[in-house]
């Protein structure tokens, strides 16, 4: 059985992305685009007014960013 996913806010996800060399590229409305230039990976992080992101959204963002599970689980 895999460990439960820790709920993160958009701000916490963005700090994690920054530590993994992602840079904020643009924002449109409440969605911010982050990109890592080395391998051209890109993820979109929705801003939910300080509330934790939905688990499915969080998983997809962190999997697409190729961040190791131990860092966010």
């Amino acid at each position: 059985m895999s460990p439960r996913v820790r709920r993160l806010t958009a701000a916490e996800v963005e700090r994690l992305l920054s530590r993994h060399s992602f840079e904020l590229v643009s924002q449109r409305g409440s969605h911010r685009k982050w990109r890592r230039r080395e391998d051209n990976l890109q993820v979109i992080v929705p801003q939910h007014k300080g509330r934790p992101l939905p688990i499915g959204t969080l998983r997809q963002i962190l999997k697409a960013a190729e961040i190791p599970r131990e860092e966010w689980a």
Side-chain angles (χ1 to χ4, degrees), residues 19-69:
R19 280 186 268 162
H20 285 273
S21 304
F22 280 83
E23 298 174 351
L24 181 61
V25 177
S26 66
Q27 178 172 346
R28 184 165 183 172
S30 63
H31 291 76
R32 299 174 105 188
K33 186 185 299 184
W34 290 78
R35 187 176 294 142
R36 185 166 59 198
R37 293 176 192 241
E38 306 159 2
D39 48 11
N40 212 28
L41 284 179
Q42 176 177 296
V43 293
I44 307 292
V45 179
Q47 302 297 308
H48 285 265
K49 300 178 189 171
R51 295 182 313 214
L53 294 174
I55 293 294
T57 303
L58 179 61
R59 276 192 182 133
Q60 288 303 315
I61 290 169
L62 297 174
K63 279 184 178 182
E66 297 180 355
I67 295 177
R69 187 173 176 85

